[in-house]
Amino acid sequence: MNPAEEFEQRRPLLFSIAYRILGSVSEAEDAVQETWLRYEATSTEPASAKAFLSAVVTRISIDVLRSARVRREEYVGPWIPEPLLADPYEDPARSAELADSVSMAALLLLERLSPLERAVFVLREVFGFGFDEIASAVGRSEAACRQLAVRARRHMAAGRPRFEADRREREQLAERFFDAFREGDLDGLRDLLAADVHMIGDSGGKGPQLAAQLVGAQNVARVLAALVPAFLRLGGVMQPHEVNGQPGAIFRDRHGNVVNTWALDIVDGQIQTIRSVINPDKLAHVGPVADAWAVFREARHARQSTN
């Protein structure tokens, strides 16, 4: 196997490592590309291509995350990871575990860790790397990496997200929710929402949003039942789609352009959190991006015209 073939074989793993460290599809793709450039420029063949490539992409991701954290402190409104429609790395024996590790809730919990803790946790707990490999990747001793892993596990365990254990039940509840959503069924929506449900919007100041955060089943259901039917009447499309390993949806305008995405957290048979990403900078990898401001104005006008 030549270097290019070896790299392509490892690309899904490299992207999945980088995305979990960075929470950004575009930055993860850039980290993977930079990894290839460094691999291609290596004069000696590494003993293990997997270990070498994983170490390189981890180091690059740590450096990127350190600068990204400064930008995120200045971010306008709530920050949510870039939506991931499909994780390219597959392990059939651990598919549910891998899906949960890439959920919005898990990624936001990882944001509480330092870049080194986050990298160690991802390599050890998600991908099962040995501490010798992790030490080489992050430039710390094995003993230091073990301490970093302990701290990271403690932080993650304190807020570890819970999801509906049965994935099929989760999907069925999401289907009922989206059906009620299309019909503007206020009672149906309210019944599926947890009493303290949170709806969180990430616009980055570059797109409209219903609110930075709505709390409570009545408030969330009322807003959804009022505005979404108008969007659908204008030719907008709600496309149920897994987002970050959880039930979700992609919203498109009448031309098929992406307006925003949703990811749902479902616990104990109810929707606990709805996370909406409408910042156009975070949607380009999903497809051509709509002018969300124009869509929002048109939907609001259509709603007012029917009242």
Side-chain angles (χ1 to χ4, degrees):
M1 188 180 298
N2 63 43
E5 292 171 335
E6 183 77 50
F7 180 81
E8 287 304 317
Q9 184 183 54
R10 305 298 180 187
R11 182 187 287 273
L13 171 64
L14 302 179
F15 174 87
S16 295
I17 291 172
Y19 178 76
R20 284 168 172 82
I21 294 174
L22 294 167
S24 165
V25 171
S26 56
E27 289 175 348
E29 290 174 341
D30 289 345
V32 172
Q33 182 60 26
E34 178 62 23
T35 299
W36 161 247
L37 295 176
R38 296 189 190 184
Y39 184 48
E40 187 181 33
T42 302
S43 57
T44 58
E45 184 177 348
S48 167
K50 176 185 176 183
F52 176 85
L53 292 168
S54 300
V56 172
V57 81
T58 297
R59 292 187 204 115
I60 292 170
S61 298
I62 289 172
D63 289 342
V64 173
L65 181 59
R66 284 174 174 148
S67 60
R69 286 165 74 93
V70 175
R71 296 193 302 274
R72 289 172 193 176
E73 289 174 359
E74 302 170 351
Y75 195 79
V76 177
W79 181 91
I80 296 175
E82 288 185 10
L84 182 67
L85 302 189
D87 186 354
Y89 179 75
E90 296 181 355
D91 181 348
R94 301 174 57 242
S95 59
E97 181 183 349
L98 287 170
D100 288 350
S101 75
V102 82
S103 70
M104 293 288 190
L107 292 174
L108 288 167
L109 197 54
L110 283 170
E111 285 289 305
R112 303 179 187 181
L113 307 181
S114 72
L116 276 178
E117 288 172 340
R118 185 164 181 164
V120 169
F121 184 87
V122 167
L123 292 177
R124 180 63 180 174
E125 301 299 322
V126 179
F127 296 103
F129 279 71
F131 280 109
D132 56 336
E133 297 172 300
I134 297 171
S136 175
V138 304
R140 295 291 189 275
S141 68
E142 288 188 42
C145 289
R146 291 179 187 277
Q147 291 178 341
L148 287 166
V150 168
R151 288 204 300 269
R153 280 196 297 266
R154 185 167 59 243
H155 286 305
M156 293 295 287
R160 186 177 296 278
R162 292 191 304 121
F163 300 110
E164 192 71 48
D166 188 309
R167 296 186 68 82
R168 182 55 192 154
E169 289 182 11
R170 198 188 313 182
E171 292 165 0
Q172 290 174 340
L173 188 143
E175 289 172 7
R176 290 164 52 204
F177 172 73
F178 289 129
D179 286 343
F181 190 62
R182 290 188 187 93
E183 297 165 6
D185 179 358
L186 179 61
D187 292 335
L189 286 170
R190 191 168 47 224
D191 290 344
L192 296 170
L193 298 172
D196 60 347
V197 61
H198 283 59
M199 183 171 184
I200 305 167
D202 176 344
S203 72
K206 298 182 179 183
Q209 57 185 24
L210 304 181
Q213 186 164 198
L214 286 171
V215 180
Q218 181 66 25
N219 293 332
V220 172
R222 185 175 62 249
V223 169
L224 297 183
L227 290 180
V228 174
F231 168 75
L232 298 178
R233 284 197 300 273
L234 293 171
V237 175
M238 180 188 64
Q239 174 191 356
H241 196 294
E242 187 174 274
V243 176
N244 287 76
Q246 308 300 318
I250 305 169
F251 291 81
R252 301 180 186 274
D253 67 10
R254 67 167 70 92
H255 307 293
N257 298 324
V258 179
V259 178
N260 68 319
T261 64
W262 277 11
L264 310 180
D265 289 352
I266 298 175
V267 181
D268 297 331
Q270 291 184 306
I271 295 170
Q272 301 286 330
T273 310
I274 303 170
R275 293 186 177 89
S276 169
V277 176
I278 200 168
N279 182 343
D281 295 345
K282 294 186 173 185
L283 297 173
H285 64 283
V286 179
V289 180
D291 180 348
W293 288 108
V295 172
F296 184 81
R297 287 193 297 268
E298 193 174 1
R300 185 168 56 185
H301 178 72
R303 175 175 171 249
Q304 291 171 344
S305 300
T306 58
N307 289 342

